[in-house]
Amino acid sequence: MYGLAAALAALGSDDVQQLRTPPVIARDIIEKVGYHRSFPHLLGRVYARTDTGLPAESDVVLLPAGCYCVYPLFAGVRLAVATELSIEATCFRQEAEAEVGRLRSFRMREFVRLDTAEHCLSWRDDRLSAAREWLTGLGLETESTVASDPFFGSGNRMMRALQRERELKIELLAEVGPGQVQAIGSGNYHNDQFGRLFAIAGPDGGVAHTACLAFGYERLTLALLHRHGANPHRWPERIRKDLGLEAMH
């Protein structure tokens, strides 16, 4: 996993800022971005015993995605230049299914860009292209597909349709098991949603737009094991080198 983590981190730009998140996040941040409304079935709430001896909901929740830790850091700020962050996070989602690669606790590497609308969208597309080329170099066959987040309830059908129409979310799919295809990475363009919520101004003085590129460590590992076998000692030498596995005994 260490070699994979280092290889993922190397996908960031030279001036990327590094951020490692805690496994929890303030509940008011998650409520501010609306996650509790869109994904109530996935949210991991935390309860603690009070002085009365009865449990009460905590002011933190389990972190569902690393990027949510980024936007509050820039609340009320006008960016002098475009900003990119690389986030390593342990995340949690209360998944109802137990299929291969669908975990409740998992690690993610995310890259988040805060910039103008034009540059955020081109950044996402460029990074997706580079990521797919990198995955191909690891021997993985990927498929790019327009997707939408699994918003909860029929009231968000219009939002899902809008995501697909504008190609706001693009997933990179790969086999993680026999006949089992999962998204091992995704690129998202959020428009000015988070810029408005947190009053972040872009380098041009307008509301900042954001985009992100995310990878799941476990799903990537499963995809590599499925493609090359359970013994990394027998993987192709070039791939072992790219993942820093040469020193394995």
Side-chain angles (χ1 to χ4, degrees):
M1 186 74 81
Y2 173 78
L4 184 59
L8 281 172
L11 294 177
S13 63
D14 293 338
D15 59 350
V16 67
Q17 300 179 34
Q18 300 290 334
L19 177 66
R20 186 163 187 172
T21 71
V24 295
I25 187 171
R27 177 159 51 93
D28 61 355
I29 294 175
I30 290 302
E31 292 176 350
K32 184 170 186 173
V33 300
Y35 191 95
H36 68 303
R37 292 190 301 271
S38 297
F39 308 96
H41 58 310
L42 298 179
L43 184 60
R45 298 182 181 273
V46 177
Y47 289 80
R49 191 174 298 277
T50 65
D51 293 339
T52 65
L54 298 175
E57 187 172 0
S58 171
D59 60 349
V60 298
V61 296
L62 299 180
L63 181 67
C67 64
Y68 290 131
C69 295
V70 170
Y71 313 118
L73 299 177
F74 296 91
V77 171
R78 175 173 177 175
L79 301 172
V81 294
T83 302
E84 182 180 334
L85 293 94
S86 175
I87 305 106
E88 183 172 321
T90 297
C91 302
F92 178 91
R93 296 175 192 170
Q94 186 63 42
E95 296 283 2
E97 303 174 11
E99 62 188 29
V100 175
R102 194 169 294 280
L103 306 173
R104 285 188 287 180
S105 181
F106 54 93
R107 289 176 62 192
M108 293 183 71
R109 167 70 62 176
E110 289 191 65
F111 300 94
V112 177
R113 180 82 170 188
L114 300 94
D115 204 340
T116 61
E118 177 185 0
H119 291 143
C120 266
L121 187 56
S122 62
W123 175 89
R124 184 205 65 173
D125 292 342
D126 289 346
R127 287 308 176 88
L128 274 172
S129 178
R132 195 170 187 187
E133 183 177 345
W134 174 68
L135 292 169
T136 299
L138 294 179
L140 300 179
E141 296 182 4
T142 61
E143 176 187 352
S144 177
T145 182
V146 177
S148 65
D149 288 311
F151 286 100
F152 185 77
S154 59
N156 284 299
R157 289 175 183 168
M158 184 176 297
M159 190 178 295
R160 290 198 302 269
L162 187 62
Q163 273 192 304
R164 290 183 178 275
E165 179 184 345
R166 296 185 178 178
E167 299 188 356
L168 301 183
K169 182 181 184 71
I170 298 177
E171 292 182 336
L172 298 177
L173 308 177
E175 278 198 354
V176 296
Q180 185 68 53
V181 175
Q182 291 278 6
I184 59 175
S186 68
N188 302 275
Y189 172 47
H190 315 122
N191 285 306
D192 61 358
Q193 175 184 357
F194 297 115
R196 289 190 180 280
L197 282 173
F198 292 94
I200 307 170
D204 61 354
V207 178
H209 285 232
T210 61
C212 71
L213 180 69
F215 298 92
Y217 282 71
E218 288 80 6
R219 286 190 183 178
L220 265 173
T221 300
L222 287 171
L224 288 165
L225 291 170
H226 176 64
R227 176 66 180 86
H228 300 298
N231 187 351
H233 293 284
R234 298 180 179 177
W235 289 6
E237 182 178 352
R238 176 178 54 81
I239 293 173
R240 286 172 51 79
K241 181 178 180 180
D242 288 346
L243 295 178
L245 303 177
E246 308 99 316
M248 287 184 61
H249 298 292

